[in-house]
Amino acid sequence: MRGRLRIYLGAAPGVGKTCAMLGEAHRRRDRGTDVVVGFVEDHGRSHTAGLIAGLEVVPRRSMEYRGAAFTEMDVDAVLARRPAVALVDELAHTNVPGSRNVKRWQDVQELLSAGVDVISTVNIQHLESLADVVAGITGVRQQETVPDEVVRRAEQIELVDMAPEALRRRLAHGNVYAPEKVDAALSNYFRPGNLTALRELALLWTADRVDEYLQRYRAENRISDTWQARERIVVGLTGGPEGRTLIRRAARIAAKGSGSEILAVYVAKSDGLTGASPQELTVQRALVEDLGGSFHSVLGDNAAEALLDFARGVNATQIVLGSSRRKAWQWILGPGVGATVARESGDVDVHIVTHEHVARGRVRPIRRIARLGAARTAVGWVLGVGGPLLLTWILGGTRSGSTDMLLYLGLTVAAALTGGLFPALASAVVGSLLINWYFTPPLHTLTVADPQNIVAIAVFLAVALAVAYVVDLAASRTAEAARSRAEAETLSFLAGSVLSGEKALPALLERVKETFQMESVALLERADDFGPWTCAGSVGPAPVGRPEDADVDVPVGERLALALSGRVLPAGDRRVLGAFAAQAAEVLERRRLSEQAAEARRLAEGNRIRTALLAAVSHDLRTPLAGIKASVSSLRTEDLRWSAEDEAELLAGIEEGADRLDHLIGNLLDMSRLQTGTVVPLVREFDLDEVVPMALRGVPDGTVRLDVPEDLPMVEGDPGLLERALANVVENAVKYQGKGQVLVSGSVLRLAGEPDRLELRVADHGPGIPDEAKDKVFEPFQRYGDAPRGAGVGLGLAVARGFVESMGGRLTAEDTPGGGLTMVFTLRTDQSDRITQQGKGSPE
């Protein structure tokens, strides 16, 4: 059986979550419940420590990280103890590296899975979905977060609330932080405005959870009556132009009460044969979402009944409808949706809002389209008009009575099956007139003597019209089904392109152009409601610059529009086009976000480099300068006479410091060239003998052993860049080698189906590095392990890899057999270039 989770939620540190949790633990212990403290930190607060003292505490697990000692909850010990309830404070806490789980909430999940009830605490700023909101309010981004779903799944969530003024008093009295931190906290994070905003977030988030519990309770107990615990306003939309007025009116009603919610609902016919303007619905959806509401679409042949069912299902308190657009004579068809909803709403208040389209009638698109094709319709008209005449000529000499009428009926059915309603209607009228004239006594008159013949002709007309209507309806349904299938296939294709990762805006616009057979497609945007339109992306020749100049335009929100040129689309195609337009807007937004993220990363990297440069200048560059200055000052001292050996030593120190400065500044300049992309290698063929000896000039004699065969192929690259890269790598290897020699060896790498490459290896037998750190050592300003500050700014390997990659090579790190680190240069050779050219074919 899974354990139950109870969470105490607070708006900020210090509101009393931990004390409330410990108080609950004492109450349960007094009732005989087995309660233990899995992890609770008192943070030096005497009151909290006093509450912990009366409870059993499971010993923590001690850990060491980066030379410091830490303690974490011992999950195994708690599971072995197996209490009924465990207290685990700070749910969003990140465990020390090397712990059983990365996050404490994952430890809690293990305890719950083992059947242990858990009581925990969390602050509102640690919820993952609110991290950006809290950062915007307080200016502090929380590094420790917990997924909202973990907290939502808790059986109980209790809000621990405290007024901002009371919390600031607690802070000032030293009940939250140490005295030396109080002033900074009061003037920064714990400002009254910050605390008020965080408190509102906590209250609203808790209210949403309470609302979820209420909805679940109502559903489980099948309660349909309205409980007016919260204002929830439903806006009934027809897809007409009055929808925007209704949405804005509902927003004004919602603004009068805090926490009100707007739900816009469009009731679509279940057969899909009639519907509203997709463009207008897209605009209304964007408007309601901009105002903080949500848009919903439900199916129902009875709009009033469907709307009321939805309102009762969401526990709505108010419904906003527009005054009917029906003309006066149309009221004979029924009371209308507004009157029906008002009569049947019960406890739900109904607002009928007037608008400028009242009583103007509904403008519906003409649906009488030749669904059967021009040729088939023409054949139907021939059968409907010429067929009865031909049949009359054939039957002219006979008087077969009722048989004649059946023949004419069969001809009408054939006209209906072939041409649809209107040819069948023509056939029925012409046929009935011919039957009356030629076959119904008195003959050759339009009068009918026998009442039975009147009934027969009436039945003939009714049957003919009924069959024609059924055939026409079937043709209509078939056409709509074919269109729906085409739309479904198109939308499926669009969904497939989205799932496959097709996010480029030009590619999506090209799909729109191909799908709808347009000449050009453009996604237009503007900065405000009255600003000029600009093109965010386009395909095809001469795209339009304004939506009103396009043959088809689909608005996406208030400031985006998809404009197509080439032909006018029917309403059905516009519905699918709306999905493409929404996807285009999303792709554009993703592109903007990606650009912003890239710019943010670039700025962050620039800040990191500037910070590292300042650190380098403040220490690593000042150290050799200080040595040079001290040596020069000593040599210029007139009171002392230096021996030749001492002078030589001081001069050597000056030279060493100058060389070190030159090396550091060279690496800094090289790194800046790599960062700005200004490194342009001068590629030519050269031998390693030109590079290796020059690269080893800066290392002490006897520290490097060479094993570079003379028969190695020529290298394709920039010898100057390779020399700098090799020198940095060798100097780094000598630094960490300790005793012994660094081995520099060369060989040819031959792989089946690939051109030969030359490998140059620099192997040391130093301490080595773990696999997870092998790529990090090539990052700028990285020193592995406990390298002292004077050991350089951490640019040597980053510069080396950058130079090698600029020549088309690779620089990687691997373990040295027997211990240590080997840096592997993989370089292009002249043979590999010749093989590549031969594979491509030489020009004639």
Side-chain angles (χ1 to χ4, degrees):
M1 181 178 176
R2 183 177 175 83
R4 297 171 59 86
L5 175 62
R6 179 171 182 170
I7 293 178
Y8 287 91
L9 175 70
V15 296
K17 304 180 302 300
T18 304
C19 292
M21 176 181 67
L22 292 170
E24 175 65 18
H26 280 281
R27 286 190 292 272
R28 295 196 183 196
R29 186 203 60 181
D30 295 341
R31 294 197 301 265
T33 305
D34 183 15
V35 181
V36 301
V37 175
F39 188 99
V40 175
E41 186 65 62
D42 59 24
H43 298 289
R45 303 167 190 164
S46 58
H47 180 63
T48 305
L51 290 173
I52 297 175
L55 299 170
E56 178 185 349
V57 179
V58 176
R60 301 181 186 179
R61 180 186 178 191
S62 298
M63 303 183 66
E64 186 173 339
Y65 179 66
R66 292 185 176 178
F70 298 91
T71 59
E72 292 287 1
M73 180 175 67
D74 193 335
V75 179
D76 291 326
V78 177
L79 291 174
R81 171 65 175 74
R82 200 171 183 80
V85 179
L87 308 185
V88 183
D89 203 10
E90 299 175 0
L91 188 63
H93 171 76
T94 301
N95 293 329
V96 175
S99 300
R100 181 191 188 98
N101 294 303
V102 177
K103 293 285 190 176
R104 185 166 292 164
W105 64 264
Q106 295 171 323
D107 296 336
V108 168
Q109 294 298 313
E110 283 200 41
L111 298 180
L112 294 173
S113 298
V116 178
D117 291 349
V118 176
I119 305 177
S120 187
T121 64
V122 70
N123 284 326
I124 193 67
Q125 68 264 29
H126 294 299
L127 294 180
E128 204 166 68
S129 65
L130 299 177
D132 292 338
V133 178
V134 173
I137 295 171
T138 64
V140 178
R141 179 168 291 279
Q142 298 296 326
Q143 301 300 320
E144 295 185 329
T145 59
V146 58
D148 289 43
E149 189 60 29
V150 174
V151 182
R152 281 197 182 98
R153 285 203 299 264
E155 280 71 20
Q156 296 184 62
I157 300 176
E158 184 170 332
L159 178 65
V160 181
D161 188 33
M162 180 176 288
E165 295 78 10
L167 180 55
R168 284 172 58 84
R169 282 197 301 270
R170 287 198 65 196
L171 192 70
H173 294 158
N175 295 329
V176 180
Y177 292 149
E180 63 271 13
K181 298 181 180 179
V182 170
D183 290 339
L186 286 173
S187 59
N188 290 284
Y189 192 88
F190 286 81
R191 294 195 299 268
N194 288 358
L195 295 178
T196 302
L198 292 174
R199 187 187 189 196
E200 183 178 18
L201 277 179
L203 290 169
L204 290 176
W205 195 90
T206 307
D208 286 338
R209 304 292 76 73
V210 173
D211 191 64
E212 289 178 5
Y213 296 147
L214 178 61
Q215 296 294 344
R216 187 163 59 243
Y217 175 82
R218 284 167 52 86
E220 291 173 353
N221 292 274
R222 298 180 179 180
I223 299 174
S224 58
D225 295 338
T226 300
W227 290 2
Q228 298 188 4
R230 178 179 183 180
E231 290 295 336
R232 187 170 281 108
I233 304 168
V234 170
V235 185
L237 301 178
T238 64
E242 78 281 359
R244 305 184 203 183
T245 302
L246 303 184
I247 293 171
R248 293 189 178 98
R249 177 62 175 150
R252 291 195 295 273
I253 296 174
K256 296 178 181 179
S258 179
S260 299
E261 185 179 358
I262 303 173
L263 300 94
V265 183
Y266 168 67
V267 181
K269 293 290 185 180
S270 59
D271 58 8
L273 296 181
T274 59
S277 167
Q279 288 179 285
E280 185 62 32
L281 284 178
T282 301
V283 172
Q284 293 175 15
R285 175 193 290 269
L287 177 60
V288 73
E289 290 176 352
D290 287 343
L291 294 173
S294 58
F295 184 91
H296 306 267
S297 180
V298 298
L299 294 177
D301 294 323
N302 188 318
E305 184 179 342
L307 186 62
L308 286 171
D309 288 344
F310 179 86
R312 294 188 183 106
V314 299
N315 196 28
T317 57
Q318 301 182 58
I319 298 176
V320 176
L321 297 173
S323 296
S324 178
R325 286 185 286 145
R326 297 194 300 175
K327 293 183 180 296
W329 65 267
Q330 291 178 310
W331 286 99
I332 63 175
L333 302 177
V337 175
T340 303
V341 170
R343 185 181 66 245
E344 304 292 339
S345 62
D347 295 334
V348 183
D349 296 336
V350 179
H351 302 263
I352 305 296
V353 179
T354 59
H355 51 85
E356 59 181 342
H357 303 281
V358 174
R360 292 189 178 183
R362 296 191 178 189
V363 179
R364 295 187 180 275
I366 297 175
R367 296 177 52 244
R368 282 292 151 212
I369 304 172
R371 303 182 183 89
L372 301 176
R376 185 171 172 181
T377 304
V379 174
W381 278 105
V382 171
L383 285 175
V385 178
L389 296 174
L390 180 62
L391 182 61
T392 302
W393 179 77
I394 294 174
L395 299 176
T398 64
R399 298 291 184 269
S400 55
S402 60
T403 305
D404 301 332
M405 191 172 294
L406 292 176
L407 292 174
Y408 280 99
L409 180 60
L411 189 62
T412 301
V413 172
L417 293 174
T418 305
L421 178 61
F422 291 112
L425 182 61
S427 177
V429 172
V430 173
S432 63
L433 292 175
L434 292 174
I435 290 173
N436 189 3
W437 185 268
Y438 287 105
F439 302 103
T440 305
L443 300 179
H444 307 299
T445 65
L446 294 178
T447 60
V448 180
D450 189 352
Q452 291 184 355
N453 291 332
I454 296 177
V455 174
I457 293 174
V459 171
F460 167 76
L461 281 172
V463 172
L465 292 177
V467 171
Y469 175 77
V470 170
V471 171
D472 183 74
L473 182 61
S476 174
R477 296 295 176 93
T478 301
E480 292 292 340
R483 175 171 294 279
S484 298
R485 178 180 177 182
E487 290 179 2
E489 290 177 352
T490 303
L491 293 175
S492 175
F493 186 69
L494 173 62
S497 65
V498 173
L499 293 175
S500 63
E502 185 178 294
K503 299 179 181 179
L505 183 59
L508 183 61
L509 297 181
E510 186 64 35
R511 289 193 182 278
V512 175
K513 177 174 172 289
E514 294 174 357
T515 301
F516 297 98
Q517 299 177 355
M518 288 293 180
E519 293 178 0
S520 65
V521 180
L523 183 63
L524 306 177
E525 64 174 341
R526 57 183 177 182
D528 53 60
D529 294 342
F530 304 100
W533 289 95
T534 59
C535 183
S538 65
V539 293
V544 298
R546 300 183 307 168
E548 50 265 31
D549 297 334
D551 293 317
V552 182
D553 71 284
V554 179
V556 187
E558 297 289 339
R559 299 174 184 176
L560 274 177
L562 190 65
L564 295 82
S565 298
R567 65 187 181 96
V568 178
L569 291 180
D573 287 345
R574 290 173 182 266
R575 187 164 52 248
V576 180
L577 186 58
F580 276 95
Q583 180 62 23
E586 183 180 352
V587 170
L588 178 63
E589 181 66 18
R590 287 182 181 178
R591 188 178 74 180
R592 297 279 167 76
L593 292 176
S594 178
E595 292 172 353
Q596 293 174 5
E599 179 65 16
R601 286 194 297 269
R602 188 187 66 78
L603 293 175
E605 181 66 17
N607 289 333
R608 191 171 72 89
I609 291 176
R610 282 192 291 272
T611 302
L613 283 173
L614 289 174
V617 170
S618 65
H619 191 283
D620 293 298
L621 298 183
R622 291 177 61 185
T623 300
L625 283 174
I628 292 173
K629 181 175 176 59
S631 298
V632 172
S633 299
S634 299
L635 289 172
R636 294 186 62 187
T637 301
E638 298 179 356
D639 299 338
L640 296 174
R641 297 183 61 84
W642 299 97
S643 63
E645 292 81 3
D646 292 337
E647 286 187 1
E649 184 177 349
L650 290 173
L651 290 173
I654 294 173
E655 183 178 15
E656 180 183 354
D659 289 341
R660 185 173 169 189
L661 272 178
D662 180 69
H663 180 74
L664 291 174
I665 293 173
N667 276 338
L668 288 172
L669 293 176
D670 290 339
M671 197 65 229
S672 67
R673 291 168 60 201
L674 289 170
Q675 291 286 339
T676 57
T678 57
V679 175
V680 180
L682 302 176
V683 179
R684 66 175 178 86
E685 294 183 5
F686 62 91
D687 193 89
L688 287 181
D689 290 340
E690 299 180 38
V691 174
V692 175
M694 301 292 291
L696 301 183
R697 287 186 306 174
V699 298
D701 294 338
T703 57
V704 176
R705 180 167 61 90
L706 289 178
D707 182 16
V708 181
E710 296 181 356
D711 58 349
L712 290 177
M714 301 285 282
V715 177
E716 282 284 337
D718 187 324
L721 295 183
L722 181 59
E723 177 189 336
R724 292 296 303 275
L726 182 59
N728 284 345
V729 171
V730 171
E731 289 178 12
N732 189 75
V734 170
K735 184 190 306 180
Y736 289 100
Q737 166 70 24
K739 297 180 180 180
Q741 292 181 317
V742 172
L743 174 62
V744 178
S745 60
S747 60
V748 176
L749 177 65
R750 292 185 173 89
L751 297 175
E754 295 185 11
D756 292 348
R757 294 272 180 163
L758 190 145
E759 278 194 348
L760 191 62
R761 294 174 169 266
V762 180
D764 66 63
H765 291 281
I769 58 176
D771 292 339
E772 60 270 15
K774 284 186 171 60
D775 282 333
K776 292 183 180 180
V777 297
F778 293 104
E779 296 178 3
F781 308 106
Q782 295 291 322
R783 298 186 187 89
Y784 179 70
D786 299 324
R789 294 286 302 170
V793 295
L795 285 176
L797 295 181
V799 169
R801 171 173 274 189
F803 282 171
V804 173
E805 290 180 349
S806 70
M807 298 185 297
R810 297 193 308 272
L811 177 59
T812 56
E814 61 183 45
D815 294 329
T816 302
L821 185 68
T822 297
M823 292 291 179
V824 183
F825 293 77
T826 306
L827 307 171
R828 297 164 52 192
T829 66
D830 60 338
Q831 295 177 1
S832 64
D833 277 358
R834 284 196 293 270
I835 291 173
T836 303
Q837 293 297 330
Q838 291 171 4
K840 294 180 180 178
S842 58
E844 296 181 357

